[in-house]
């Protein structure tokens, strides 16, 4: 039986800066669990698959289940694979924690009749149910473990990297294989393909990588495996693997089923140009430069993994012609329409033509080839620095997997390669739909900061003191306390005093993660020490403020990991057809709002420290927020779906800067936007398509998190004092959505990345409804007084 282990790490190849605080690893123990517990796990798995794949009576009946070696899976031709419920609910985690943390059982949820009013008593009862349940899901180290997945190409990337380095059987057990295959089959689309994420249609990128992963994990495309047959059929009918986008071409080249000549060059020599030039990769957004850095190394080496019988078979299965007859020159510019989100520009086409015809051939001729050797050596120095400063976690699973391959290519027996292997488990997550790969190694610090603020909003902290105290300690102990050596040489921003998205071992400081952690800690500093523990030391608080201010752009705005380093016109060089806005670390309303909120909370308690700089920052930031408002009054959300998320931060930022509904036309327009999109149910529901179309798209049904974000935005604007009726309707909906155990429902994924990728923040469905109801109750009480 699988068990989630928290804060553990042993062996010679694992390192940690703070005792593995926040580390989450699922381990299989064949002797764990009672027969009843194992039966319940299987029931949850079967129920998910059954609910996901409901029979379509308009087609032939579902065929008998097949019995390949990994698990049973149905005939996809006879399955109605709908979009209504693709999200898991972390039921295996809840099953484990229900036994570990036995809180007092909740009373059944009260449903409010249409004609009834929402009272303070009803809100309080709902909050207590929610907090009782949510507190039972806290880990012993103080954070709330959760699923942070939803992107379907990440697990394939991890598996492909393990395959080419010969480490697949070392890291992935037979139980891992079973659950990984379960997940991939569960999320295969009705048409036979796979998307790049759970939300959205099939793509060539998702289909080729997931198909190849199943084959490398031992799945066989025989007559009994209809799922693989349907997957292959989708790939071949949409142009074959030659039409996979750039990232896919690179990965297929690495494993040996796509020729490197079918790629446009990723020249490592670009890292040798002077840093003051805007095209130097050190000026690109950190995710882009850290992913393309090892890609450039592997391209420069033209590395290809072992050519096994499975690889040879894949060469035949993924193309409409024989592998030897593929026109690799034409394949360079081929991309399936389903993957084409960012078509290449004419400038880009011209540059690629020059690189292919002149630059790349010249760089491979002696003595010019010496330049390549120097560039590759330089890249490995950067790769080793990033590995060491993230304890071999990487900034994300993609650069982690690529970096490990580079270390293996450099020296298959190196300590660096061996230190990568145990950190793969940090990215694996298990739920009732199978084993998946997370977007990051978690979002422990980010969500814990939000959770603390949500608890504080309820004014019920005296009832949950031990829980809040553990969260307080976790957040304090997750601060990055040391600066990375020579960080500027390797194009890193400062880290000392910051918080990361996940754990301190990750090491990557983030502006809004640091700001939200500060807000949580400052909120707790107002509560009795006997209840929540000692406040953070003043010295560390000042270091956090110094770090936050170091992120400020010239216009007072804030980006994510660094200040903006280059111009937006360079986006014309974006080499990826599938991802938008990846060259520049663009400032966002969300980051900017979080930071000025933290700065103003800090100034209220520490008015003498850097006061003038904070005041100037806040005023410029408010002007930036106003400048980013859409014509309809909303703000575009970069890191959540989408306009409800952005508008919550937009209104909060302006009110923090001193604007009010009466004095700010921006706030009035924003409130009008939200109220005009309130559904007849009283809630809000926004489709992920909003992010892609860059205009509000109603999902047609209420979403608990969108509703909570909209409520918070209106509450911050003073809606309770003006006209509380819309908020009463929204609160009634949230309370009626609450489940008997106190949870709010897990619905469509709500996280967003660069208008291109959508994933799950599995604690959001509790955090924000609690926060919204807590703030509403607090304002109702204040209004009465």
């Amino acid at each position: 039986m699988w068990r989630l282990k928290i804060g553990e790490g042993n062996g010679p190849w694992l390192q940690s800066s703070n005792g593995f605080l926040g580390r989450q690893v699922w381990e299989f123990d064949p002797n764990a669990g009672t027969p009843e517990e194992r039966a319940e796990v299987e029931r949850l798995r079967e129920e998910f698959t059954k609910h996901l794949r409901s029979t379509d009576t308009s087609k032939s009946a579902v065929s008998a289940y097949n019995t390949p070696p990994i698990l049973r899976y149905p005939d996809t031709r006879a399955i109605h694979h709908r979009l209504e419920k693709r999200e898991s609910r972390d039921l295996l985690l809840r099953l484990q924690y229900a036994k570990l943390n036995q809180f007092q059982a909740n009373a059944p949820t009260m449903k409010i009749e249409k004609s009834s009013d929402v009272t303070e008593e009803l809100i309080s009862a709902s909050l207590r149910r929610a907090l009782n349940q949510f507190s039972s899901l806290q880990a012993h180290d103080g954070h709330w473990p959760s699923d942070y997945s939803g992107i379907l190409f990440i697990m394939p990337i991890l598996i492909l990297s393990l395959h080419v380095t010969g480490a697949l059987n070392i890291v992935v057990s037979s139980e891992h294989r079973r659950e990984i295959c379960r997940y991939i089959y569960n999320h295969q689309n009705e048409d036979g393909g796979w998307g790049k994420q759970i939300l959205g249609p099939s793509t060539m990128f998702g289909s080729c990588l997931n198909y190849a992963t199943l084959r490398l994990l031992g799945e066989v495309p025989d007559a009994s495996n209809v799922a693989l047959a349907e997957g292959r059929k989708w790939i071949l009918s949409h142009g074959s693997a030659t039409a996979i986008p750039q990232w896919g071409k690179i990965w297929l080249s690495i494993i040996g089923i796509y020729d490197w000549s079918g790629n446009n060059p990723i020249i490592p020599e670009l890292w040798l140009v002077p840093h003051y030039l805007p095209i130097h990769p050190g000026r690109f957004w950190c995710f882009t430069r850290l992913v393309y850095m090892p890609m450039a190394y592997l391209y420069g080496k033209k590395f290809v993994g072992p050519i096994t019988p499975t690889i040879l078979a894949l060469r035949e299965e993924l193309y409409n012609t024989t592998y030897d007859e593929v026109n690799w020159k034409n394949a360079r510019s081929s991309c399936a329409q389903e993957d084409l989100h960012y078509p290449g520009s004419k400038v880009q086409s011209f540059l690629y033509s020059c690189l292919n015809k002149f630059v790349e051939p010249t760089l491979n001729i002696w003595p010019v080839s010496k330049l390549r050797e120097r560039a590759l050596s330089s890249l490995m120095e950067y790769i080793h620095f990033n590995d060491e400063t993230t304890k071999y976690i990487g900034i994300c699973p993609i650069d982690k997997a690529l970096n490990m391959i580079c270390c293996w290519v450099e020296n298959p027996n190196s300590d660096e390669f061996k230190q990568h292997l145990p950190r793969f488990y940090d990215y694996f997550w298990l739920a009732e739909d199978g084993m998946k790969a997370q977007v990051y190694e978690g979002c422990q610090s980010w969500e814990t900061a939000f959770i603390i603020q949500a608890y504080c909003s309820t004014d019920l902290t005296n009832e949950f003191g031990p829980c809040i105290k553990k969260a307080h300690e976790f957040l304090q102990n997750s601060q990055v306390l040391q600066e990375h050596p020579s960080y500027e040489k390797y194009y890193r921003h400062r880290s000392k005093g910051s918080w990361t998205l996940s754990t301190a071992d990750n090491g990557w400081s983030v502006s809004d993660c640091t700001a939200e952690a500060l807000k949580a800690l400052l909120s707790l500093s107002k509560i009795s020490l006997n209840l929540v523990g000692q406040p953070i030391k003043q010295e560390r608080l000042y270091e956090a403020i110094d770090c936050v201010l170091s992120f400020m752009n010239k216009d007072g705005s804030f980006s994510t990991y660094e200040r903006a380093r280059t111009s937006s016109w360079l986006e014309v060089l974006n080499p990826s057809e599938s991802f938008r806005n990846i060259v520049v670390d663009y400032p966002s309303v969300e980051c900017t709002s979080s930071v000025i909120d933290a700065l103003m909370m800090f100034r209220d308690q520490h008015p003498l420290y850097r006061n003038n700089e904070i005041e100037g920052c806040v005023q410029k930031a408010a002007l930036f927020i106003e400048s980013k408002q859409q014509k309809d009054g909303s703000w575009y959300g970069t890191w959540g779906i989408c306009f409800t998320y952005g508008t919550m931060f937009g209104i909060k930022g302006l009110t923090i800067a001193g604007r009010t509904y009466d004095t700010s036309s921006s706030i009035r327009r924003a409130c009008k936007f939200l109220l005009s999109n309130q559904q007849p149910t009283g809630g809000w529901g926004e489709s992920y398509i909003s992010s892609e179309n860059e205009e509000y798209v109603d999902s047609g049904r209420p979403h608990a998190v969108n509703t909570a974000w909209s409520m918070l935005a209106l509450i911050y604007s003073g809606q309770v004092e003006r006209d509380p009726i819309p908020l009463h309707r929204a609160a009634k909906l949230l309370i009626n959505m609450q489940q008997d155990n106190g949870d709010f429902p897990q619905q469509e994924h709500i996280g967003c990345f660069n208008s291109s990728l959508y994933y799950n923040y599995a604690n959001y469905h509790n955090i924000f409804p609690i926060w919204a109801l807590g703030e509403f109750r607090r304002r109702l009480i204040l209004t009465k007084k």
Side-chain angles (χ1 to χ4, degrees), residues 443-468:
C443 49
Q444 296 90 321
S445 294
W446 174 249
E447 286 193 336
T448 301
F450 276 154
I451 290 167
I452 289 172
Q453 294 176 75
Y455 271 72
C456 289
S457 76
T458 67
D459 289 333
L460 299 173
T461 51
N462 60 316
E463 299 179 27
F464 298 93
C467 172
I468 298 172

PDB file of all heavy atoms in Angstrom, residues 443-468:
ATOM      1  N   CYS A 443       3.968  23.189  -3.807  1.00  0.00           N
ATOM      2  CA  CYS A 443       3.749  24.632  -3.586  1.00  0.00           C
ATOM      3  C   CYS A 443       3.541  24.861  -2.092  1.00  0.00           C
ATOM      4  O   CYS A 443       2.631  25.566  -1.663  1.00  0.00           O
ATOM      5  CB  CYS A 443       2.561  25.132  -4.406  1.00  0.00           C
ATOM      6  SG  CYS A 443       1.065  24.127  -4.274  1.00  0.00           S
ATOM      7  N   GLN A 444       4.412  24.233  -1.297  1.00  0.00           N
ATOM      8  CA  GLN A 444       4.244  24.183   0.142  1.00  0.00           C
ATOM      9  C   GLN A 444       4.237  25.566   0.800  1.00  0.00           C
ATOM     10  O   GLN A 444       3.340  25.888   1.593  1.00  0.00           O
ATOM     11  CB  GLN A 444       5.356  23.331   0.767  1.00  0.00           C
ATOM     12  CG  GLN A 444       5.341  21.854   0.355  1.00  0.00           C
ATOM     13  CD  GLN A 444       6.153  21.538  -0.873  1.00  0.00           C
ATOM     14  OE1 GLN A 444       6.171  22.316  -1.827  1.00  0.00           O
ATOM     15  NE2 GLN A 444       6.837  20.403  -0.893  1.00  0.00           N
ATOM     16  N   SER A 445       5.234  26.390   0.505  1.00  0.00           N
ATOM     17  CA  SER A 445       5.317  27.708   1.142  1.00  0.00           C
ATOM     18  C   SER A 445       4.209  28.630   0.654  1.00  0.00           C
ATOM     19  O   SER A 445       3.600  29.365   1.439  1.00  0.00           O
ATOM     20  CB  SER A 445       6.682  28.344   0.865  1.00  0.00           C
ATOM     21  OG  SER A 445       7.712  27.608   1.498  1.00  0.00           O
ATOM     22  N   TRP A 446       3.944  28.587  -0.637  1.00  0.00           N
ATOM     23  CA  TRP A 446       2.916  29.443  -1.240  1.00  0.00           C
ATOM     24  C   TRP A 446       1.550  29.178  -0.623  1.00  0.00           C
ATOM     25  O   TRP A 446       0.867  30.096  -0.161  1.00  0.00           O
ATOM     26  CB  TRP A 446       2.906  29.187  -2.738  1.00  0.00           C
ATOM     27  CG  TRP A 446       1.835  29.851  -3.550  1.00  0.00           C
ATOM     28  CD1 TRP A 446       0.794  29.247  -4.169  1.00  0.00           C
ATOM     29  CD2 TRP A 446       1.726  31.249  -3.879  1.00  0.00           C
ATOM     30  NE1 TRP A 446       0.031  30.165  -4.863  1.00  0.00           N
ATOM     31  CE2 TRP A 446       0.591  31.398  -4.698  1.00  0.00           C
ATOM     32  CE3 TRP A 446       2.478  32.377  -3.557  1.00  0.00           C
ATOM     33  CZ2 TRP A 446       0.178  32.637  -5.195  1.00  0.00           C
ATOM     34  CZ3 TRP A 446       2.074  33.613  -4.062  1.00  0.00           C
ATOM     35  CH2 TRP A 446       0.946  33.730  -4.862  1.00  0.00           C
ATOM     36  N   GLU A 447       1.152  27.915  -0.579  1.00  0.00           N
ATOM     37  CA  GLU A 447      -0.177  27.609  -0.064  1.00  0.00           C
ATOM     38  C   GLU A 447      -0.250  27.774   1.449  1.00  0.00           C
ATOM     39  O   GLU A 447      -1.289  28.192   1.977  1.00  0.00           O
ATOM     40  CB  GLU A 447      -0.590  26.193  -0.475  1.00  0.00           C
ATOM     41  CG  GLU A 447      -0.963  26.087  -1.943  1.00  0.00           C
ATOM     42  CD  GLU A 447      -1.674  24.790  -2.284  1.00  0.00           C
ATOM     43  OE1 GLU A 447      -1.499  23.808  -1.555  1.00  0.00           O
ATOM     44  OE2 GLU A 447      -2.393  24.781  -3.299  1.00  0.00           O
ATOM     45  N   THR A 448       0.829  27.470   2.165  1.00  0.00           N
ATOM     46  CA  THR A 448       0.801  27.652   3.624  1.00  0.00           C
ATOM     47  C   THR A 448       0.606  29.117   3.989  1.00  0.00           C
ATOM     48  O   THR A 448      -0.127  29.440   4.929  1.00  0.00           O
ATOM     49  CB  THR A 448       2.089  27.098   4.257  1.00  0.00           C
ATOM     50  OG1 THR A 448       2.218  25.705   3.942  1.00  0.00           O
ATOM     51  CG2 THR A 448       2.068  27.258   5.768  1.00  0.00           C
ATOM     52  N   ALA A 449       1.230  30.011   3.235  1.00  0.00           N
ATOM     53  CA  ALA A 449       1.043  31.452   3.483  1.00  0.00           C
ATOM     54  C   ALA A 449      -0.413  31.851   3.268  1.00  0.00           C
ATOM     55  O   ALA A 449      -0.993  32.604   4.065  1.00  0.00           O
ATOM     56  CB  ALA A 449       1.959  32.258   2.568  1.00  0.00           C
ATOM     57  N   PHE A 450      -1.021  31.362   2.211  1.00  0.00           N
ATOM     58  CA  PHE A 450      -2.441  31.638   1.962  1.00  0.00           C
ATOM     59  C   PHE A 450      -3.323  31.036   3.053  1.00  0.00           C
ATOM     60  O   PHE A 450      -4.297  31.651   3.504  1.00  0.00           O
ATOM     61  CB  PHE A 450      -2.858  31.069   0.605  1.00  0.00           C
ATOM     62  CG  PHE A 450      -2.566  31.965  -0.566  1.00  0.00           C
ATOM     63  CD1 PHE A 450      -2.381  31.425  -1.831  1.00  0.00           C
ATOM     64  CD2 PHE A 450      -2.494  33.341  -0.431  1.00  0.00           C
ATOM     65  CE1 PHE A 450      -2.129  32.241  -2.932  1.00  0.00           C
ATOM     66  CE2 PHE A 450      -2.235  34.160  -1.522  1.00  0.00           C
ATOM     67  CZ  PHE A 450      -2.049  33.608  -2.775  1.00  0.00           C
ATOM     68  N   ILE A 451      -3.005  29.813   3.463  1.00  0.00           N
ATOM     69  CA  ILE A 451      -3.827  29.122   4.454  1.00  0.00           C
ATOM     70  C   ILE A 451      -3.824  29.888   5.775  1.00  0.00           C
ATOM     71  O   ILE A 451      -4.877  30.051   6.416  1.00  0.00           O
ATOM     72  CB  ILE A 451      -3.329  27.677   4.640  1.00  0.00           C
ATOM     73  CG1 ILE A 451      -3.636  26.848   3.383  1.00  0.00           C
ATOM     74  CG2 ILE A 451      -3.970  27.026   5.868  1.00  0.00           C
ATOM     75  CD1 ILE A 451      -2.922  25.509   3.318  1.00  0.00           C
ATOM     76  N   ILE A 452      -2.663  30.353   6.196  1.00  0.00           N
ATOM     77  CA  ILE A 452      -2.587  31.140   7.435  1.00  0.00           C
ATOM     78  C   ILE A 452      -3.477  32.369   7.340  1.00  0.00           C
ATOM     79  O   ILE A 452      -4.240  32.692   8.267  1.00  0.00           O
ATOM     80  CB  ILE A 452      -1.128  31.532   7.732  1.00  0.00           C
ATOM     81  CG1 ILE A 452      -0.322  30.292   8.152  1.00  0.00           C
ATOM     82  CG2 ILE A 452      -1.062  32.608   8.814  1.00  0.00           C
ATOM     83  CD1 ILE A 452       1.169  30.538   8.269  1.00  0.00           C
ATOM     84  N   GLN A 453      -3.413  33.074   6.211  1.00  0.00           N
ATOM     85  CA  GLN A 453      -4.237  34.270   6.048  1.00  0.00           C
ATOM     86  C   GLN A 453      -5.727  33.923   6.026  1.00  0.00           C
ATOM     87  O   GLN A 453      -6.561  34.672   6.541  1.00  0.00           O
ATOM     88  CB  GLN A 453      -3.842  34.996   4.769  1.00  0.00           C
ATOM     89  CG  GLN A 453      -2.432  35.579   4.817  1.00  0.00           C
ATOM     90  CD  GLN A 453      -2.030  36.218   3.499  1.00  0.00           C
ATOM     91  OE1 GLN A 453      -2.497  37.307   3.167  1.00  0.00           O
ATOM     92  NE2 GLN A 453      -1.175  35.539   2.755  1.00  0.00           N
ATOM     93  N   ALA A 454      -6.058  32.784   5.421  1.00  0.00           N
ATOM     94  CA  ALA A 454      -7.457  32.353   5.385  1.00  0.00           C
ATOM     95  C   ALA A 454      -7.953  32.058   6.801  1.00  0.00           C
ATOM     96  O   ALA A 454      -9.062  32.468   7.184  1.00  0.00           O
ATOM     97  CB  ALA A 454      -7.614  31.127   4.492  1.00  0.00           C
ATOM     98  N   TYR A 455      -7.161  31.351   7.607  1.00  0.00           N
ATOM     99  CA  TYR A 455      -7.538  31.077   8.991  1.00  0.00           C
ATOM    100  C   TYR A 455      -7.720  32.389   9.764  1.00  0.00           C
ATOM    101  O   TYR A 455      -8.688  32.541  10.528  1.00  0.00           O
ATOM    102  CB  TYR A 455      -6.471  30.230   9.669  1.00  0.00           C
ATOM    103  CG  TYR A 455      -6.653  28.730   9.522  1.00  0.00           C
ATOM    104  CD1 TYR A 455      -6.425  28.089   8.306  1.00  0.00           C
ATOM    105  CD2 TYR A 455      -7.022  27.937  10.600  1.00  0.00           C
ATOM    106  CE1 TYR A 455      -6.569  26.721   8.167  1.00  0.00           C
ATOM    107  CE2 TYR A 455      -7.170  26.557  10.483  1.00  0.00           C
ATOM    108  CZ  TYR A 455      -6.944  25.957   9.252  1.00  0.00           C
ATOM    109  OH  TYR A 455      -7.091  24.589   9.114  1.00  0.00           O
ATOM    110  N   CYS A 456      -6.776  33.314   9.575  1.00  0.00           N
ATOM    111  CA  CYS A 456      -6.858  34.590  10.300  1.00  0.00           C
ATOM    112  C   CYS A 456      -8.112  35.369   9.913  1.00  0.00           C
ATOM    113  O   CYS A 456      -8.686  36.086  10.753  1.00  0.00           O
ATOM    114  CB  CYS A 456      -5.611  35.423  10.035  1.00  0.00           C
ATOM    115  SG  CYS A 456      -4.101  34.778  10.813  1.00  0.00           S
ATOM    116  N   SER A 457      -8.554  35.251   8.673  1.00  0.00           N
ATOM    117  CA  SER A 457      -9.722  36.004   8.222  1.00  0.00           C
ATOM    118  C   SER A 457     -10.996  35.589   8.945  1.00  0.00           C
ATOM    119  O   SER A 457     -11.959  36.357   9.012  1.00  0.00           O
ATOM    120  CB  SER A 457      -9.928  35.814   6.714  1.00  0.00           C
ATOM    121  OG  SER A 457     -10.479  34.536   6.426  1.00  0.00           O
ATOM    122  N   THR A 458     -11.018  34.376   9.501  1.00  0.00           N
ATOM    123  CA  THR A 458     -12.237  33.860  10.128  1.00  0.00           C
ATOM    124  C   THR A 458     -12.441  34.365  11.551  1.00  0.00           C
ATOM    125  O   THR A 458     -13.531  34.205  12.108  1.00  0.00           O
ATOM    126  CB  THR A 458     -12.210  32.322  10.169  1.00  0.00           C
ATOM    127  OG1 THR A 458     -11.169  31.886  11.066  1.00  0.00           O
ATOM    128  CG2 THR A 458     -11.953  31.745   8.784  1.00  0.00           C
ATOM    129  N   ASP A 459     -11.383  34.904  12.175  1.00  0.00           N
ATOM    130  CA  ASP A 459     -11.414  35.293  13.590  1.00  0.00           C
ATOM    131  C   ASP A 459     -11.739  34.105  14.497  1.00  0.00           C
ATOM    132  O   ASP A 459     -12.298  34.263  15.591  1.00  0.00           O
ATOM    133  CB  ASP A 459     -12.425  36.429  13.836  1.00  0.00           C
ATOM    134  CG  ASP A 459     -11.952  37.750  13.251  1.00  0.00           C
ATOM    135  OD1 ASP A 459     -10.726  37.941  13.136  1.00  0.00           O
ATOM    136  OD2 ASP A 459     -12.798  38.579  12.879  1.00  0.00           O
ATOM    137  N   LEU A 460     -11.380  32.901  14.018  1.00  0.00           N
ATOM    138  CA  LEU A 460     -11.585  31.693  14.817  1.00  0.00           C
ATOM    139  C   LEU A 460     -10.246  31.057  15.193  1.00  0.00           C
ATOM    140  O   LEU A 460     -10.178  29.871  15.503  1.00  0.00           O
ATOM    141  CB  LEU A 460     -12.438  30.681  14.043  1.00  0.00           C
ATOM    142  CG  LEU A 460     -13.851  31.121  13.658  1.00  0.00           C
ATOM    143  CD1 LEU A 460     -14.510  30.090  12.748  1.00  0.00           C
ATOM    144  CD2 LEU A 460     -14.707  31.342  14.912  1.00  0.00           C
ATOM    145  N   THR A 461      -9.198  31.854  15.151  1.00  0.00           N
ATOM    146  CA  THR A 461      -7.858  31.308  15.378  1.00  0.00           C
ATOM    147  C   THR A 461      -7.705  30.716  16.769  1.00  0.00           C
ATOM    148  O   THR A 461      -6.926  29.781  16.970  1.00  0.00           O
ATOM    149  CB  THR A 461      -6.787  32.398  15.172  1.00  0.00           C
ATOM    150  OG1 THR A 461      -7.153  33.557  15.948  1.00  0.00           O
ATOM    151  CG2 THR A 461      -6.689  32.805  13.717  1.00  0.00           C
ATOM    152  N   ASN A 462      -8.436  31.235  17.746  1.00  0.00           N
ATOM    153  CA  ASN A 462      -8.318  30.702  19.103  1.00  0.00           C
ATOM    154  C   ASN A 462      -8.806  29.257  19.198  1.00  0.00           C
ATOM    155  O   ASN A 462      -8.453  28.536  20.135  1.00  0.00           O
ATOM    156  CB  ASN A 462      -9.104  31.568  20.085  1.00  0.00           C
ATOM    157  CG  ASN A 462     -10.582  31.636  19.742  1.00  0.00           C
ATOM    158  OD1 ASN A 462     -10.944  31.806  18.579  1.00  0.00           O
ATOM    159  ND2 ASN A 462     -11.437  31.511  20.750  1.00  0.00           N
ATOM    160  N   GLU A 463      -9.597  28.796  18.223  1.00  0.00           N
ATOM    161  CA  GLU A 463     -10.097  27.430  18.227  1.00  0.00           C
ATOM    162  C   GLU A 463      -9.159  26.470  17.500  1.00  0.00           C
ATOM    163  O   GLU A 463      -9.342  25.250  17.576  1.00  0.00           O
ATOM    164  CB  GLU A 463     -11.481  27.372  17.580  1.00  0.00           C
ATOM    165  CG  GLU A 463     -12.535  28.209  18.298  1.00  0.00           C
ATOM    166  CD  GLU A 463     -13.889  28.154  17.610  1.00  0.00           C
ATOM    167  OE1 GLU A 463     -14.177  27.125  16.937  1.00  0.00           O
ATOM    168  OE2 GLU A 463     -14.656  29.126  17.731  1.00  0.00           O
ATOM    169  N   PHE A 464      -8.175  27.022  16.778  1.00  0.00           N
ATOM    170  CA  PHE A 464      -7.282  26.172  15.967  1.00  0.00           C
ATOM    171  C   PHE A 464      -5.821  26.534  16.216  1.00  0.00           C
ATOM    172  O   PHE A 464      -4.999  26.492  15.314  1.00  0.00           O
ATOM    173  CB  PHE A 464      -7.637  26.309  14.486  1.00  0.00           C
ATOM    174  CG  PHE A 464      -9.040  25.855  14.166  1.00  0.00           C
ATOM    175  CD1 PHE A 464     -10.099  26.755  14.164  1.00  0.00           C
ATOM    176  CD2 PHE A 464      -9.298  24.518  13.900  1.00  0.00           C
ATOM    177  CE1 PHE A 464     -11.387  26.337  13.894  1.00  0.00           C
ATOM    178  CE2 PHE A 464     -10.589  24.091  13.626  1.00  0.00           C
ATOM    179  CZ  PHE A 464     -11.638  24.992  13.625  1.00  0.00           C
ATOM    180  N   GLY A 465      -5.519  26.871  17.486  1.00  0.00           N
ATOM    181  CA  GLY A 465      -4.177  27.315  17.846  1.00  0.00           C
ATOM    182  C   GLY A 465      -3.063  26.345  17.485  1.00  0.00           C
ATOM    183  O   GLY A 465      -2.075  26.734  16.848  1.00  0.00           O
ATOM    184  N   PRO A 466      -3.142  25.066  17.849  1.00  0.00           N
ATOM    185  CA  PRO A 466      -2.047  24.127  17.528  1.00  0.00           C
ATOM    186  C   PRO A 466      -1.781  24.009  16.028  1.00  0.00           C
ATOM    187  O   PRO A 466      -0.627  23.922  15.603  1.00  0.00           O
ATOM    188  CB  PRO A 466      -2.551  22.795  18.110  1.00  0.00           C
ATOM    189  CG  PRO A 466      -3.496  23.194  19.198  1.00  0.00           C
ATOM    190  CD  PRO A 466      -4.170  24.441  18.711  1.00  0.00           C
ATOM    191  N   CYS A 467      -2.847  24.031  15.252  1.00  0.00           N
ATOM    192  CA  CYS A 467      -2.698  23.938  13.792  1.00  0.00           C
ATOM    193  C   CYS A 467      -1.970  25.172  13.254  1.00  0.00           C
ATOM    194  O   CYS A 467      -1.024  25.053  12.460  1.00  0.00           O
ATOM    195  CB  CYS A 467      -4.088  23.807  13.164  1.00  0.00           C
ATOM    196  SG  CYS A 467      -4.119  23.895  11.388  1.00  0.00           S
ATOM    197  N   ILE A 468      -2.394  26.344  13.686  1.00  0.00           N
ATOM    198  CA  ILE A 468      -1.789  27.584  13.192  1.00  0.00           C
ATOM    199  C   ILE A 468      -0.345  27.704  13.677  1.00  0.00           C
ATOM    200  O   ILE A 468       0.528  28.183  12.941  1.00  0.00           O
ATOM    201  CB  ILE A 468      -2.633  28.795  13.641  1.00  0.00           C
ATOM    202  CG1 ILE A 468      -4.035  28.703  13.035  1.00  0.00           C
ATOM    203  CG2 ILE A 468      -1.964  30.105  13.231  1.00  0.00           C
ATOM    204  CD1 ILE A 468      -5.002  29.744  13.561  1.00  0.00           C
TER     205      ILE A 468
END
